[in-house]
Amino acid sequence: MAIAKLLERRPHIVPGKYKVSELFFDVPKDYSKPDEETLRLFARSIQKYERPAQDPPEEEAKQLPWCSSSRKLPAMILE
């Protein structure tokens, strides 16, 4: 069971510096009832932008889990 669902990713490049992605997740309001109401979360990912000479093989390009935390909520892994 996935804890969160990545709905959308909107990437853009800050010229010569960073790749910025705006991310939208749906997470359950109550983890004991994950199929009921959800919350929509917004996150921003910033990475140093380096264009490789060659694209990495698919097995190396695997997406790692996201980690999220809030002052009022415990940290969670977003898959």
Side-chain angles (χ1 to χ4, degrees):
M1 175 185 89
I3 294 174
K5 180 179 178 184
L6 178 62
L7 299 175
E8 186 177 357
R9 179 184 306 206
R10 299 179 191 164
H12 62 277
I13 305 297
V14 175
K17 295 188 179 197
Y18 303 104
K19 178 180 177 184
V20 178
S21 296
E22 295 177 346
L23 310 161
F24 296 88
F25 295 93
D26 267 353
V27 297
K29 267 187 167 179
D30 184 349
Y31 285 95
S32 66
K33 302 172 188 171
D35 296 327
E36 292 185 7
E37 278 190 274
T38 61
L39 296 172
R40 175 89 24 106
L41 299 181
F42 168 81
R44 185 170 284 135
S45 168
I46 301 173
Q47 298 173 307
K48 185 176 179 182
Y49 180 67
E50 295 177 338
R51 186 174 192 132
Q54 185 176 1
D55 290 333
E58 282 190 31
E59 56 272 2
E60 289 181 27
K62 181 183 174 204
Q63 174 63 51
L64 298 174
W66 299 95
C67 181
S68 171
S69 65
S70 168
R71 289 182 184 184
K72 295 183 180 183
L73 299 172
M76 63 187 92
I77 302 298
L78 307 175
E79 296 178 1

